[in-house]
Amino acid sequence: MIGLGFPAFTPIHPDPQIAAAIEAAEQEHYLASPPADMFMRAGAFFLDGLFYWILSSAILKVAGILSLWLPLQSNDSGVWLFRITLYLAYTSAPLVYFGATPAKLLMGLRVIRKDSGKGLTWKDALIREGLGKIPSLILLGIPAVLGFFDPQRSCFHDRIAGTVVRQIHDPL
Amino acid sequence: MILLIPISPEVPKSRRPRFWPGLLLSLILAIVYMEISPVLQADKKYLEGLSSLIQTHEDGRVELMPEAHLKLKQRPLLKIVPSRGDWSFRRLLAANFIHGSFPHLLLNMVGVFAGARICSTFMPFSLILAVFMIGGTLGLFVSTVFTQQISIYIPHLGASAGIFTLMGMYYVFNFHYRTKYFFWFPSKYGLAGLRTHWFFFVDVVLLEIILSAAQLFPGQADVVDHFAHVMGFAVGATLALALRTVLRWPAFIQTKSEYLFWRELRKSPMPQDAVEWAKTWMELLRINKFNDLVKENLLEILRANAATLPQPILDKAVSYIHPTFIRLNPELTANTLTSLLMQDRSLSKEWLERTPYDCVIRIARFLVSDTLGSEPLARLLRPYQEAHQKDIGLQSKLGVLLERLKPESGDQAGIRDNSPAASIPRQSTRR
């Protein structure tokens, strides 16, 4: 991910006035950007799913071949616990540090706080991805369809975490 | 195993991959399949009674009876394709074009079409065919010799090793660039330009390495010949490196057209000064405007010669700094712009007009520094504001930002603070 020019790797000027001016400009720009198209978000979700699947399959396969950790070698609760933890790490860490998941970054999308335009904290990200998305996935994505009928394109997981997804720029 | 099909390297429309090399290679596979279908039918019929010769142990282990090995040795398919216990060079070569079933053929036709097509941006068809056959044969040979299987008379066949050879060629030739992948309908949402050096590796190589490692352990393998895939890819990458060395193909050249231009340039004396070099890089960018490595070289020239480059050259060079390049290389862009702006060089109005605000925001953090304060940023924002006079919303955003950047006690935005406190080096913080 390094080299894509994401905010986590961008230095902030030590002068608090300049740093605050730039941050405020960023947040205002994000808030003023249009809500992300639902098809675009669905595409990003699909691509993230693929990235996640590659990552989890690779880890499980290596664990199986090298007999690294017994619970990862059978299809039991250990595997599920691992998959859920990895899913939360895969989605939440990029949200906190880069402002979006890898696929969303490629699509020019940014997840921000609805009220301030600021980036998400760990708490926000875990609520959004854990309490919001996992029940949504269990219910076959039906709560996420809410976004189609909302002018701000807020899905169930956005409402629960107080977030919005904005189209910051064209897909890379 | 490939998850996403690479559509094309990121190149201009006129340099896009050609259709016919992939189509021709796919047709060859289809014709060969039709030609050998009597052998496949005879083979299928021959193997009908084989299930009675399989022994399953109490621990779940499956073994073939000795008669089964003898029966497999005589199967009709082994007359045209190799196996570990019975192979020849002729059969290894032929196996690249032979498929055991229609789904196998269909999958490999798609693969061969994609592989030959994307390689056509830098190779002629004759070379594509030669590379496909060399890599495929070597891949099949290694897999035939080293794979652990239930019998030494299991045939190894299919174009996949050759397909991975083409992928290996493509990987080396496009290592520094981006590849367009399709993954979602409608295509305007589902085409992503992903960096070849990491995504192609994950998509094509990493999975195959993991799966081929499993192939070394009996009982963990599936029916796909991952070992041949990895070997094919390695051969393709090696051939590409050798070819690039022989052709003296520099890393910053992506397409065949750029290479031809560079080869002609090498015949005459190389550029002597910054202006000539800037013109050379711009000529390459005229051929392929997506070549980010050439843009990096051009920006380096601009940065180092900010004071002396003639204005028309500068304007033309800046026009190649596209939004995607700024988004991917904000620091390099900001450093170049800082050099230009601090030398009082003006940026072309056309470029300012077509540069989106998100790009300005993205480079804003790099345009401020300990030594120069926010002066470079202010010097960019003022003409940017002038260039976007019709956009009322943007005008107000820029006005607010410029106002906020003005030092509380200074007379102008970004004036250097010469107080003793300002001379103490300060650590940059990261969010």
Side-chain angles (χ1 to χ4, degrees), chain A residues 3-5 7 9-10 12-14 17 24 26 28 37 39 43 46 50-51 54 61 106-107 169 172, chain B residues 3-4 183-184 189 193-194 199 210 217 327-328 357-358 361-362 365-366 369-370 404 406 429-431:
Chain A
L4 282 177
F9 295 98
T10 312
I12 295 179
H13 196 264
Q17 190 198 344
E26 280 174 355
E28 280 162 17
D37 186 285
F39 283 105
F46 179 75
L50 264 180
F51 289 161
I54 291 176
K61 197 85 190 179
L106 289 167
M107 312 281 264
H169 57 76
L172 289 176
Chain B
L3 286 172
L4 295 180
F183 64 94
W184 189 248
Y189 302 126
L194 302 171
F199 189 73
I210 292 164
F217 298 84
R327 287 171 193 135
L328 294 172
Y357 184 57
D358 79 271
I361 286 290
R362 196 170 279 240
R365 287 164 180 253
F366 297 102
S369 63
D370 280 4
R404 283 181 184 148
K406 275 187 187 168
T429 53
R430 283 171 191 271
R431 188 160 75 173

Side-chain angles (χ1 to χ4, degrees), chain B residues 100-363:
Chain B
S101 65
F102 186 68
H104 188 202
L105 169 76
L106 207 64
L107 272 176
N108 278 352
M109 275 175 75
V110 172
V112 116
F113 179 78
R117 191 174 161 273
I118 58 172
C119 283
S120 68
T121 52
F122 55 87
M123 280 201 295
F125 179 71
S126 51
L127 202 55
I128 291 175
L129 188 63
V131 163
F132 170 81
M133 286 170 68
I134 294 168
T137 307
L138 274 170
L140 281 169
F141 171 71
V142 171
S143 136
T144 304
V145 171
F146 291 105
T147 306
Q148 299 291 323
Q149 283 173 310
I150 196 164
S151 166
I152 56 168
Y153 298 112
I154 301 288
H156 287 246
L157 71 165
S160 51
I163 295 168
F164 274 81
T165 309
L166 294 176
M167 297 291 182
M169 284 293 267
Y170 175 80
Y171 186 63
V172 170
F173 271 88
N174 282 275
F175 186 81
H176 297 289
Y177 307 98
R178 286 189 294 276
T179 303
K180 286 268 182 198
Y181 284 87
F182 172 74
F183 64 94
W184 189 248
F185 287 102
S187 62
K188 69 170 178 170
Y189 302 126
L191 264 185
L194 302 171
R195 292 211 165 173
T196 309
H197 64 77
W198 71 266
F199 189 73
F200 204 80
F201 183 77
V202 170
D203 188 34
V204 177
V205 192
L206 194 63
L207 274 178
E208 287 300 327
I209 289 174
I210 292 164
L211 295 171
S212 65
Q215 210 169 334
L216 291 172
F217 298 84
Q220 295 236 29
D222 51 27
V223 292
V224 182
D225 200 349
H226 302 289
F227 220 65
H229 296 178
V230 174
M231 191 58 200
F233 192 91
V235 172
T238 312
L239 283 176
L241 286 170
L243 191 66
R244 281 171 73 115
T245 310
V246 171
L247 293 174
R248 293 167 66 204
W249 184 301
F252 55 79
I253 297 289
Q254 187 182 12
T255 60
K256 209 159 50 186
S257 315
E258 290 165 87
Y259 172 73
L260 294 175
F261 169 81
W262 187 254
R263 199 176 61 178
E264 282 305 308
L265 187 79
R266 266 198 322 235
K267 288 178 186 165
S268 50
M270 293 302 266
Q272 295 298 316
D273 60 10
V275 173
E276 278 186 46
W277 270 113
K279 282 181 182 169
T280 305
W281 298 132
M282 286 192 286
E283 192 56 36
L284 278 170
L285 284 171
R286 196 185 57 75
I287 300 169
N288 179 7
K289 64 179 178 179
F290 293 106
N291 192 329
D292 284 358
L293 290 192
V294 171
K295 282 183 197 176
E296 285 174 21
N297 290 342
L298 179 62
L299 259 59
E300 192 52 43
I301 298 272
L302 296 188
R303 197 191 57 74
N305 303 279
T308 52
L309 277 177
Q311 191 62 37
I313 299 274
L314 182 65
D315 288 346
K316 198 176 170 197
V318 167
S319 73
Y320 286 109
I321 310 177
H322 296 153
T324 302
F325 180 82
I326 301 175
R327 287 171 193 135
L328 294 172
N329 304 280
E331 193 167 5
L332 177 67
T333 313
N335 289 343
T336 308
L337 291 180
T338 302
S339 301
L340 294 171
L341 293 163
M342 294 317 287
Q343 292 289 341
D344 284 328
R345 302 305 301 266
S346 61
L347 300 170
S348 78
K349 199 180 169 198
E350 290 76 27
W351 180 76
L352 290 166
E353 275 173 350
R354 67 173 172 76
T355 301
Y357 184 57
D358 79 271
C359 293
V360 175
I361 286 290
R362 196 170 279 240
I363 57 175

Side-chain angles (χ1 to χ4, degrees), chain A residues 109-169:
Chain A
L109 309 179
R110 193 63 55 94
V111 185
I112 51 167
R113 294 274 327 154
K114 193 179 182 178
D115 47 5
S116 59
K118 285 184 179 173
L120 271 58
T121 60
W122 274 102
K123 190 182 156 193
D124 296 330
L126 287 171
I127 289 175
R128 186 177 192 276
E129 300 302 323
L131 293 179
K133 266 194 189 167
I134 291 177
S136 205
L137 283 171
I138 293 168
L139 295 169
L140 304 173
I142 292 165
V145 176
L146 278 175
F148 279 100
F149 306 102
D150 185 83
Q152 289 297 312
R153 302 282 175 262
S154 284
C155 302
F156 173 70
H157 49 271
D158 288 317
R159 292 183 186 195
I160 218 170
T163 57
V164 278
V165 184
R166 299 293 200 209
Q167 182 79 50
I168 304 301
H169 57 76

Side-chain angles (χ1 to χ4, degrees), chain B residues 40-95:
Chain B
L40 291 176
Q41 279 165 9
D43 190 67
K44 199 176 170 189
K45 204 172 173 187
Y46 180 81
L47 293 178
E48 268 169 7
L50 190 73
S51 53
S52 60
L53 300 173
I54 297 173
Q55 249 183 332
T56 308
H57 295 275
E58 283 173 2
D59 57 359
R61 201 161 38 86
V62 178
E63 208 176 32
L64 291 181
M65 290 180 193
E67 306 94 284
H69 290 288
L70 286 174
K71 190 174 170 68
L72 279 175
K73 193 181 176 183
Q74 302 297 326
R75 63 187 289 187
L77 190 58
L78 282 189
K79 290 189 170 59
I80 51 172
V81 297
S83 70
R84 193 178 181 185
D86 182 14
W87 64 273
S88 68
F89 177 72
R90 185 186 59 80
R91 276 183 280 166
L92 273 172
L93 201 64

